Amino acid sequence: MTLAAQLHDLAVDIAREAGELARRRRTEGVAIAATKSALADIVTEADREVEELIRDRLRRERSGDGFLGEESGAAPVSHGGDSDITWVIDPIDGTVNYAYGIPAYAVSVAAVAGGSDPEHWDALAGAVFNPASGELFHATQGEGAWLADTRLTVNAKPSAAGALLATGFGYDPATHASDLARVGRAMTIARDIRRIGAASLDLAFVAAGRLDGYFERGLHPWDFAAGALLVTEAGGRFARVEMPDAASRPLTVAAGPGVFERLLSLTTD
């Protein structure tokens, strides 16, 4: 078995176990533990518990690897390891959905080579698991993207009615006007737009052909590490573009080949 295949199997197993813990804690009720960058950007006690479960599994099974995760206290933290592999983890992507009982949240687990900088890493394996639906999206570099045992393929081009797109908005109110203006430009090629609230699921849905494209400014590495691999392994395209405002994080765009260039152009103008 190749290294990528080994990492894939572990990512899938961890995503399932962590997702089951998240689901169980949700049925028991969630508590808001802290706020992060803004009031809307909440951390639940379950976030922390799920990340600790993942870290424990990796310490036992891949102790020399690096780790980049969203939760450690109330701020992101990166811990370097001794190997060339880094695990990029979002323990509960879609925390607001999770806290409100909206069944659109996911555990995102990716293994990358070459360090924790997404501009330089090479994604080897990833898994995105939605505990509420039981859907497991997973991919291995060079081996395709899958939903359970069904191979995924992006939509080659949108229907005559236009592209079904998804987006999200940053937590900083100062960015909302520009985000809404970007949506307005994208709507010129859209039949409709979705705001799901979990980037990993948006990307998984592009890979599965449920969406024609997705764009969002300000994602962190753990938001897209697994999802980006799903998209590219399903035949789609993925890009991160620096924005003119140096203080802004890049714009992420993912889509099938028939809409990607137009969506990229409209959202980066």
Side-chain angles (χ1 to χ4, degrees), residues 37-57:
S37 60
L39 181 61
D41 194 5
I42 61 175
V43 184
T44 65
E45 292 291 355
D47 271 295
R48 297 176 175 178
E49 187 177 2
V50 171
E51 183 173 291
E52 189 54 35
L53 180 153
I54 295 170
R55 291 173 66 124
D56 282 345
R57 284 289 306 272

Side-chain angles (χ1 to χ4, degrees), residues 196-217:
I196 294 167
S200 61
L201 290 178
D202 286 313
L203 292 165
F205 291 175
V206 172
R210 297 176 182 177
L211 294 169
D212 294 302
Y214 164 68
F215 60 97
E216 184 170 352
R217 184 203 56 79

Side-chain angles (χ1 to χ4, degrees), residues 1-108:
M1 182 181 291
T2 66
L3 174 60
Q6 294 174 32
L7 297 173
H8 165 271
D9 289 354
L10 181 56
V12 165
D13 192 46
I14 288 176
R16 283 192 182 281
E17 182 181 0
E20 175 55 29
L21 175 60
R23 186 202 62 77
R24 191 165 65 249
R25 291 292 180 261
R26 184 66 191 79
T27 63
E28 296 166 355
V30 299
I32 306 305
T35 59
K36 292 184 279 189
S37 60
L39 181 61
D41 194 5
I42 61 175
V43 184
T44 65
E45 292 291 355
D47 271 295
R48 297 176 175 178
E49 187 177 2
V50 171
E51 183 173 291
E52 189 54 35
L53 180 153
I54 295 170
R55 291 173 66 124
D56 282 345
R57 284 289 306 272
L58 292 173
R59 278 193 289 261
R60 284 186 274 117
E61 301 187 44
R62 299 281 311 181
S63 61
D65 293 351
F67 184 90
L68 177 63
E70 184 175 15
E71 314 302 343
S72 283
V77 64
S78 175
H79 298 291
D82 299 325
S83 79
D84 189 46
I85 303 301
T86 299
W87 293 85
V88 187
I89 307 297
D90 197 338
I92 302 178
D93 181 30
T95 310
V96 175
N97 287 349
Y98 183 78
Y100 276 76
I102 298 170
Y105 63 91
V107 178
S108 178

Side-chain angles (χ1 to χ4, degrees), residues 68 86 88 112-123 219-225 228 238 240 242 250 252:
L68 177 63
T86 299
V88 187
V112 305
S116 59
D117 182 351
E119 297 302 318
H120 300 103
W121 77 34
D122 187 25
L219 297 185
H220 294 280
W222 45 84
D223 294 318
F224 62 80
F238 175 91
R240 296 173 71 240
E242 294 292 338
T252 295

